[in-house]
Amino acid sequence: MPRALLFAATYPERVSGLVLHSVSAPRTRWAPDYPIGLSDEVLDGYTEWVGQNWGTGRVSGAFAPDLPNRRELARIERAIATPAIAAEHFRLANRMDVREILPSVQAPTLIIHGRDEMMPIAWARYLAEHLPSATLIETEGHGMLGAPETLDPLIDEVEQFVTGQHPQSNVDVDRVLATVLFVDIATSTQQLVSVGDRRWTELLTDFRRQVRVEIDRHRGREVNTRGDDVLATFDGSTRAVRCAQAVVSVAAQLGMEVRAGAHTGEIELQEGDIAGIAVHTGARVCDLAGPGEILVTATLRDLVAGSGLEFESRGPCELRGVPGTKELFAVAPSTPAVALN
């Protein structure tokens, strides 16, 4: 479910509607500002239980106790994944937090959730309250995973929702979710003085050329290059961070030091340029990075669970011109840069 929401926010022109059933939470773990989350002890215990019972039908049966064919559920579980992979999937899913992207989902959304399902009904209600265009249908029992005789009314609701929507209607394709990456050459003035104007111009030209290669390789889009700064956007948060790692490495090979900042949020596309609070946030994050450092927001960190990236907390920081505080994280030096095929 979180990935479906992320896709809808990133590619609004490709999603005419969402039908969500038996929804998981936009954030599973408890937090001070999220009391409907579950404790670490509960989640860790459930993940262990999944690993022990996957392939027996008990896991799927816990979500759909009204379905009688446990042997068929067991066969489906074994066809999907091994017990270890299933447990790892649940562990990584529990690390995701997509609350901040919910306002960016433009697609009309139908949410169907049973009051007796394993997933708390509070999670479905939270989504309905925070998605701009969502309708929640609360059912008795286990919703569409319940007894077959209860399905017809729900199928009618889904059919009416799907056929009653006009694809591409009221979709603003100039407003999308994206990851913005800012790269800035640190101590550029000192380096210019050290090597001289001509050599500095050569280094800068070579640096920009190689940065463009890395942006293309990581399927990003260069927005603009002004002075010592580079701004690019990506439709995948992990590739944005991997690109930043590659750029830091390229700069080091040229004897230069760069700093980078990245944030995932809603941006406005403006004739080749971009605007919006997410752009300002990314720029301010870059301003706080040290030479050779890649800083990201908690929003981005929470979206790359399972990527292999590791982060070190820099704590809550005030960003000039951005309301409130943002918790920032540095990409851990031990995190390897991964080459793309």
Side-chain angles (χ1 to χ4, degrees):
M1 188 278 297
R3 298 189 186 280
L5 294 171
L6 183 60
F7 185 91
T10 306
Y11 306 104
E13 75 283 2
R14 297 173 63 182
V15 180
S16 59
L18 289 170
V19 178
L20 305 178
H21 172 257
S22 186
V23 297
S24 56
R27 175 189 171 100
T28 308
R29 292 186 182 274
W30 179 92
D33 62 342
Y34 191 71
I36 62 174
L38 304 179
S39 68
D40 289 347
E41 291 77 14
V42 169
L43 291 173
D44 292 345
Y46 179 68
T47 300
E48 182 178 355
W49 179 83
V50 168
Q52 294 172 347
N53 290 275
W54 189 263
T56 66
R58 294 189 182 94
V59 178
S60 301
F63 290 91
D66 293 336
L67 296 181
N69 195 342
R70 188 60 56 82
R71 179 176 296 179
E72 181 66 13
L73 293 178
R75 186 189 67 79
I76 293 173
E77 286 180 1
R78 292 193 295 270
I80 292 173
T82 65
I85 291 177
E88 181 67 6
H89 168 79
F90 278 90
R91 185 184 71 81
L92 294 176
N94 292 337
R95 292 171 53 188
M96 293 192 71
D97 186 349
V98 298
R99 288 177 295 166
E100 287 200 25
I101 74 167
L102 298 182
S104 301
V105 178
Q106 302 181 49
T109 304
L110 176 64
I111 304 170
I112 300 176
H113 203 95
R115 297 189 183 95
D116 296 333
E117 292 189 33
M118 175 176 283
M119 303 293 193
I121 190 67
W123 292 356
R125 291 169 180 167
Y126 183 96
L127 281 177
E129 292 171 0
H130 291 82
L131 288 169
S133 182
T135 300
L136 171 62
I137 297 178
E138 297 186 20
T139 71
E140 300 298 333
H142 297 87
M144 298 190 76
L145 294 178
E149 60 269 17
T150 67
L151 293 182
D152 286 347
L154 295 180
I155 292 174
D156 290 343
E157 292 284 355
V158 173
E159 182 177 0
Q160 181 178 357
F161 175 81
V162 173
T163 60
Q165 301 299 327
H166 299 285
Q168 312 304 326
S169 63
N170 300 319
V171 173
D172 183 1
V173 296
D174 293 329
R175 186 165 55 88
V176 300
L177 187 76
T179 299
V180 294
L181 171 64
F182 281 86
V183 177
D184 178 40
I185 299 177
T187 63
S188 58
T189 301
Q190 293 91 319
Q191 293 184 59
L192 187 154
V193 172
S194 174
V195 302
D197 288 343
R198 176 175 295 182
R199 178 55 181 157
W200 176 249
T201 299
E202 294 173 350
L203 283 173
L204 193 57
T205 299
D206 196 15
F207 171 72
R208 289 174 176 170
R209 179 183 61 79
Q210 295 196 49
V211 168
R212 290 189 178 100
V213 170
E214 295 301 335
I215 292 174
D216 289 342
R217 190 167 70 93
H218 290 83
R219 303 202 301 276
R221 182 178 75 88
E222 181 183 358
V223 178
N224 57 53
T225 302
R226 290 187 283 236
D228 303 332
D229 301 331
V230 177
L231 168 60
T233 62
F234 298 79
D235 59 8
S237 302
T238 300
R239 283 186 280 104
V241 176
R242 296 297 188 191
C243 181
Q245 290 179 306
V247 170
V248 169
S249 178
V250 163
Q253 295 173 17
L254 295 173
M256 306 165 70
E257 287 186 316
V258 299
R259 55 188 177 187
H263 172 62
T264 301
E266 190 174 76
I267 65 172
E268 298 175 13
L269 305 177
Q270 298 181 341
E271 296 182 357
D273 204 350
I274 60 175
I277 191 66
V279 182
H280 293 288
T281 300
R284 299 298 175 253
V285 171
C286 183
D287 291 342
L288 294 179
E293 188 174 48
I294 303 168
L295 286 185
V296 305
T297 59
T299 303
L300 187 153
R301 190 281 308 264
D302 292 337
L303 293 175
V304 299
S307 65
L309 292 168
E310 297 179 359
F311 300 91
E312 299 172 351
S313 176
R314 293 291 184 264
C317 299
E318 293 186 359
L319 306 179
R320 181 168 55 88
V322 178
T325 61
K326 295 283 187 183
E327 187 174 5
L328 301 185
F329 295 83
V331 179
S334 59
T335 302
V338 176
L340 301 180
N341 292 330

